[in-house]
Amino acid sequence: MTLRIAKVALVFAVAFFYSLVVLNNMTDYDSNYQFVRHVLMMESTFPGNRGIWRAINSPKWHTVFYLSIIAWETVTMILCWLGGFLMAGAMREGQTVFHQSKRVAISALTLSLLMWFVVFLSVGGEWFLMWQSKLWNGQDAAFRMFTVVGIILLFVVQPEPNLQ
């Protein structure tokens, strides 16, 4: 039972984290909008870099990118809460039922990993050369979150030992 409690608690912890992220993005919209905007404009990358042609200078597209990120985070948050509640509801069930209850949580954690890896590390970091910026570089935070969520996902997917 201890392993199940730990798995449920960690899924709820990720749900709580995303709740704070979504709250912050909605109540302090401009702070992270500016981050997205500056990364897309690439104005703080190395002078003379040959990738500057990738820059997006349209405020409309900055808003589309940012709202897409908020939507992704919101879906991840909802799925984490739902996955945690489904797992909590199956805590006293048999091994097969509990393992099946993890499906939504696994989907949510995978969605989180895809966001950090694809959106922040790949698109932001490599396509828009975020790594070149001293001011608008979120790669360390993205890597940290990718690692934390990845470890939680690996823990959650593990079947519990059959202790009868």
Side-chain angles (χ1 to χ4, degrees):
M1 186 61 81
T2 304
L3 284 175
R4 290 183 180 191
I5 292 169
K7 290 176 183 187
V8 170
L10 286 169
V11 171
F12 279 139
V14 176
F16 178 69
F17 170 80
Y18 272 99
S19 297
L20 295 176
V21 168
V22 170
L23 176 69
N24 288 339
N25 283 338
M26 293 192 170
T27 59
D28 186 18
Y29 181 91
D30 195 54
S31 292
N32 284 322
Y33 171 78
Q34 291 304 319
F35 178 87
V36 170
R37 181 177 154 268
H38 286 288
V39 168
L40 296 177
M41 291 191 315
M42 300 175 68
E43 86 280 354
S44 62
T45 58
F46 297 162
N49 82 68
R50 295 184 177 252
I52 199 72
W53 62 270
R54 302 173 192 163
I56 297 175
N57 294 304
S58 164
K60 178 178 90 174
W61 283 107
H62 300 161
T63 300
V64 168
F65 268 78
Y66 187 43
L67 290 176
S68 297
I69 291 169
I70 293 172
W72 195 324
E73 292 166 341
T74 302
V75 169
T76 303
M77 174 194 71
I78 291 166
L79 290 175
C80 279
W81 283 114
L82 178 59
F85 282 118
L86 289 171
M87 290 172 65
M91 289 257 290
R92 299 202 183 282
E93 301 294 334
Q95 194 173 23
T96 303
V97 172
F98 183 73
H99 194 67
Q100 289 173 344
S101 77
K102 299 176 189 178
R103 290 179 186 165
V104 174
I106 291 168
S107 297
L109 296 170
T110 301
L111 196 59
S112 175
L113 289 175
L114 286 169
M115 184 186 68
W116 295 113
F117 190 69
V118 174
V119 175
F120 289 96
L121 293 172
S122 300
V123 175
E126 292 303 321
W127 183 256
F128 290 106
L129 305 174
M130 182 171 59
W131 64 270
Q132 292 184 6
S133 176
K134 290 183 187 208
L135 185 58
W136 303 106
N137 186 344
Q139 287 195 295
D140 287 343
F143 179 75
R144 183 174 52 249
M145 287 311 304
F146 181 83
T147 302
V148 167
V149 173
I151 291 168
I152 292 170
L153 176 61
L154 290 174
F155 179 55
V156 168
V157 299
Q158 296 300 309
E160 293 75 37
N162 193 2
L163 304 171
Q164 293 182 336

